[in-house]
Amino acid sequence: MALEGWFLWFILFWGAVLIGSFAIGGYFMFRKFLKSMPKEDGLSDLNWEEYYVDKTIHLWGAEEKAMLNELVQPVPDLFRPVAKQKIAGRIGQILLEEKVKSMKLEHIIRGYILATPKRDHKFLRKKLAEMQIDVHPYEVYFNQENQKTV
């Protein structure tokens, strides 16, 4: 039985869809694998994120959690937990470095800016404008070239 006509195109189409899906899934799995690889200090990026969140969990009140949830609304549902973990880890790093006793809005916004790539900053600016929060005090963080990540 030879493949001819519409059935051949159907098989070719689904073959391309499957290969494309595997490639996309493999890409994201490989990125996660690289994040879990230990660095020179023996800990991975994921370990550091968890460490910073665990050390500062007592500083996260209901308002701070609500603010973080509000800021990550533009992130697609599938990636939102990962984004929240990364941003919370960066905020925790800032809090520990500055040895603060309570979290402020400034820490959340600064952590968000430093944890996200520049291409996502336009969404943050838009969200802060919607929330009527002045962006000017944070311009220095938007303009930093080498953002040290967790």
Side-chain angles (χ1 to χ4, degrees):
M1 179 176 153
L3 295 179
E4 296 178 9
W6 69 271
F7 190 68
L8 172 67
W9 290 108
F10 176 77
I11 296 295
L12 290 174
F13 170 75
W14 278 111
V17 167
L18 283 174
I19 290 171
S21 297
F22 287 140
I24 291 168
Y27 170 75
F28 285 108
M29 287 175 56
F30 188 68
R31 280 185 50 192
K32 185 77 168 185
F33 170 74
L34 288 178
K35 278 186 83 174
S36 67
M37 292 294 295
K39 305 293 184 212
E40 296 83 28
D41 59 4
L43 295 175
S44 69
D45 291 341
L46 295 176
N47 293 120
W48 278 114
E49 286 174 8
E50 290 175 22
Y51 171 80
Y52 290 128
V53 170
D54 290 343
K55 289 291 184 181
T56 58
I57 194 75
H58 64 282
L59 298 174
W60 286 89
E63 286 182 30
E64 288 83 8
K65 289 177 185 176
M67 180 66 172
L68 181 61
N69 286 331
E70 185 70 26
L71 290 176
V72 296
Q73 283 300 321
V75 178
D77 288 339
L78 182 63
F79 305 110
R80 198 170 294 155
V82 175
K84 282 171 52 175
Q85 175 74 17
K86 181 177 180 181
I87 295 165
R90 187 67 167 125
I91 293 168
Q93 181 182 8
I94 291 168
L95 296 172
L96 287 178
E97 287 174 355
E98 295 180 3
K99 298 179 176 129
V100 297
K101 300 291 184 218
S102 66
M103 187 183 308
K104 296 184 173 119
L105 176 67
E106 185 264 335
H107 296 118
I108 296 171
I109 295 173
R110 185 167 32 133
Y112 190 100
I113 293 168
L114 296 176
T116 56
K118 284 194 179 285
R119 68 178 179 269
D120 295 342
H121 291 171
K122 64 182 175 183
F123 298 113
L124 178 62
R125 288 178 187 271
K126 182 180 173 186
K127 192 66 169 175
L128 292 175
E130 287 175 10
M131 300 171 74
Q132 298 176 349
I133 297 174
D134 186 24
V135 180
H136 295 297
Y138 309 105
E139 287 297 331
V140 67
Y141 305 113
F142 281 117
N143 296 327
Q144 282 184 346
E145 275 306 308
N146 297 326
Q147 295 181 6
K148 181 183 169 196
T149 58
V150 176

